[in-house]
Amino acid sequence: MVAITSRAPAPGGGVSAPPAGAPASPPDGPPGRRTAWSEGVQRLREAATTEPGRLRIIGAVLAALIVLFGTVSVWEISARATAADDVVGRSQPLSADAASIYRSLADADTTSSSGFLLGAQEPREVRQRYEKDIANASRLLVSAAANTGGSKESREQITLLSEQLPRYTGLIEQARATNRQGLPLGGAYLRYANEQMTTQLLPAAQRLYEAETRRLHTDDDDARAWPLGSLGLGVLAVAALVWAQRRNYRHTNRVFNHGLVAATAASVVVLLWLSVGHTVARSSLSEARTDGQESMKVLNDARIASLQARASENLTLIARGAVLAEDKKSDKYDVDFTNNMKQLDAGLATALRLADDDDGRAPVSRAVDGVEQWKQRHTAAREADLKGDYEAALPQVVGDAQHKESSGAAFDTVDASLEQAVAHEQREFTRAAQNGLGALGGLVTGSAVLVVIGATAALLGIGRRLSEYR
């Protein structure tokens, strides 16, 4: 007979607590569930206790590493190829156009002062050169506005140039009209136009050139940056594949697993292609920057200094001492000429040092010789002017039938030589930059294809081992 014990009611009508030592009743509700992460970890642990499970884990890790290596490689090389393409097709052309805008404006200012010195009957070729400079600057401003993209600083300078250029040309026309009438006020208009050019237009063009050059350097740096993520993952993937093959040999005594060998070969090819291709691209882009872009900058600065020196030389005769320098004693334009010629000498010396072939050195050497002739002829003209012989000084500056060897002719030699040197360096830059871009060609597509082959081969190689357990 089973004894049935009843729990005595507790005072107050409740049920009394179980006696000491009695087992506790099970908790109410269903047992707690584990998270998906903990369940996944548990399954991996269970799988790792058997060889087939370990092989599946190894195959998944190898495939994931190879795919990650390929994905990062495609992403990094695509970014560098895009940057290199921007260097060749956008940044450098915009930087060159900005330099051309500056040169065109400076040359227009120089030509207008030369035309003024030649009197009321300005030669047609001088007028045409001025109009060509203004038209070229206007065209390049329109092109820069359409292609400069999201650069706020560049847009601001383009807007300023577009607003001020018509005012400058208006002042030049007033100076010409007044000069044709034989009135001395024409010189004042010309000096005011030159002041606007040197204080507003040329500084804005300089800032535009600097902004576009900075963007060129940014694109160049992006294109030359090492793809460290791709290289690191490539080395890791190859090391993992080698380890997997060594493990396979130790477990089966088989030297080769065809799938793993194919995956290793594909990964090694991608890694070597990536390393060699980027090294060649980096070298070519570095050559374009050091041997091309830096030389062009020095030559452009030298050419600008020569243009400013020529304008100052002309204005020295036009002003005739009416504008003094800060010391209140010297002629302002003669002081400016001296400073511009010092900048020109320094620029030519640097350009000769940077020139790396005879085709680059020859025009710079001609420019150096032209500067020496220019200085000698300017000195002779200046001596005549200081003696008060304006009629003798004028032809020595602008030239005539008796003074073909004028300072103006020497300036033309310098300007033409520097133009040839800039054109040579531009060709050198374009050649080197295109070689750098070409070194990256096909790398994106090739990497993607080889990585897919490598990941598939790794899975097939592991699958071959798994088939032995079925």
Side-chain angles (χ1 to χ4, degrees):
M1 219 177 142
V2 180
I4 301 176
T5 60
S6 62
R7 189 177 297 175
V15 179
S16 62
S25 59
D28 295 335
R33 298 183 60 185
R34 292 179 300 173
T35 64
W37 171 258
S38 62
E39 289 182 359
V41 171
Q42 182 61 29
R43 290 177 182 176
L44 282 176
R45 288 175 178 172
E46 294 173 356
T49 59
T50 64
E51 181 61 13
R54 287 191 288 268
L55 287 173
R56 290 188 180 93
I57 294 173
I58 292 172
V61 171
L62 290 177
L65 269 178
I66 296 172
V67 170
L68 183 60
F69 167 43
T71 302
V72 174
S73 297
V74 168
W75 173 60
E76 287 191 328
I77 295 303
S78 294
R80 281 149 185 77
T82 299
D85 186 61
D86 285 342
V87 168
V88 175
R90 188 195 66 173
S91 303
Q92 201 282 325
L94 282 174
S95 177
D97 285 350
S100 295
I101 290 172
Y102 195 113
R103 288 197 305 269
S104 294
L105 293 175
D107 191 65
D109 194 52
T110 300
T111 305
S112 63
S113 61
S114 298
F116 192 92
L117 282 174
L118 291 170
Q121 302 300 322
E122 182 181 21
R124 182 180 179 182
E125 60 272 13
V126 175
R127 177 69 177 180
Q128 288 177 340
R129 178 171 175 172
Y130 167 81
E131 292 176 346
K132 181 180 178 181
D133 285 332
I134 296 299
N136 188 54
S138 300
R139 177 182 59 81
L140 292 175
L141 281 173
V142 173
S143 176
N147 297 308
T148 193
S151 175
K152 180 181 178 182
E153 183 178 2
S154 294
R155 290 199 305 272
E156 289 176 351
Q157 305 312 319
I158 291 170
T159 300
L160 177 59
L161 288 166
S162 300
E163 291 174 350
Q164 295 298 326
L165 185 56
R167 298 178 185 177
Y168 170 81
T169 56
L171 288 171
I172 293 297
E173 294 308 317
Q174 287 180 311
R176 281 199 175 102
T178 308
N179 190 42
R180 282 196 296 268
Q181 297 173 13
L183 301 175
L185 190 59
Y189 277 122
L190 187 65
R191 292 195 299 272
Y192 185 55
N194 173 262
E195 181 181 355
Q196 186 182 27
M197 175 65 75
T198 55
T199 60
Q200 296 187 48
L201 286 166
L202 290 182
Q206 179 68 24
R207 290 191 293 270
L208 175 62
Y209 172 67
E210 291 172 353
E212 295 300 336
T213 300
R214 281 195 299 271
R215 183 160 65 169
L216 168 61
H217 288 167
T218 298
D219 289 339
D220 183 67
D221 290 340
D222 291 343
R224 293 188 300 118
W226 282 104
L228 298 179
S230 304
L231 295 174
L233 284 170
V235 171
L236 182 60
V238 171
L241 285 164
V242 170
W243 172 85
Q245 291 176 83
R246 185 171 181 272
R247 182 184 183 278
N248 181 68
Y249 171 73
R250 292 172 60 187
H251 282 72
T252 66
N253 206 29
R254 295 171 184 167
V255 178
F256 297 115
N257 177 293
H258 293 166
L260 293 179
V261 170
T264 304
S267 299
V268 169
V269 169
V270 174
L271 184 59
L272 289 177
W273 191 357
L274 176 66
S275 302
V276 174
H278 188 270
T279 299
V280 173
R282 182 183 174 87
S283 176
S284 296
L285 290 170
S286 296
E287 179 186 353
R289 183 166 179 169
T290 56
D291 296 342
Q293 180 62 27
E294 291 183 8
S295 294
M296 279 191 289
K297 184 180 185 306
V298 171
L299 290 168
N300 282 325
D301 290 343
R303 193 177 182 192
I304 288 166
S306 71
L307 290 166
Q308 292 176 335
R310 179 58 178 168
S312 297
E313 183 179 40
N314 291 337
L315 287 167
T316 301
L317 283 179
I318 294 172
R320 301 185 188 182
V323 183
L324 298 179
E326 293 181 357
D327 60 5
K328 304 301 181 182
K329 296 179 181 180
S330 306
D331 185 288
K332 174 185 181 303
Y333 298 115
D334 192 44
V335 171
D336 289 344
F337 173 84
T338 301
N339 293 333
N340 294 144
M341 293 302 282
K342 290 179 179 178
Q343 295 173 5
L344 177 57
D345 287 336
L348 291 176
T350 304
L352 273 177
R353 177 174 56 82
L354 292 176
D356 59 346
D357 57 15
D358 292 339
D359 291 338
R361 282 188 290 270
V364 179
S365 297
R366 289 196 296 270
V368 171
D369 295 338
V371 168
E372 292 304 316
Q373 294 178 353
W374 187 0
K375 289 178 181 178
Q376 295 172 5
R377 296 169 187 178
H378 171 81
T379 299
R382 187 64 181 148
E383 288 176 354
D385 186 36
L386 290 174
K387 292 178 182 178
D389 194 351
Y390 176 81
E391 298 300 327
L394 180 61
Q396 294 183 63
V397 173
V398 298
D400 60 9
Q402 289 77 30
H403 297 83
K404 293 183 179 181
E405 294 184 352
S406 62
S407 63
F411 160 75
D412 289 338
T413 298
V414 173
D415 188 62
S417 299
L418 289 175
E419 184 176 8
Q420 292 174 6
V422 170
H424 170 74
E425 297 300 336
Q426 177 66 64
R427 290 191 297 270
E428 290 293 298
F429 175 91
T430 302
R431 176 191 58 78
Q434 287 179 342
N435 288 342
L437 178 59
L440 299 176
L443 185 53
V444 172
T445 303
S447 298
V449 172
L450 287 172
V451 160
V452 170
I453 293 174
T456 303
L459 291 175
L460 290 175
I462 296 297
R464 181 66 179 270
R465 283 281 293 119
L466 284 171
S467 67
E468 297 174 2
Y469 290 88
R470 298 191 182 102

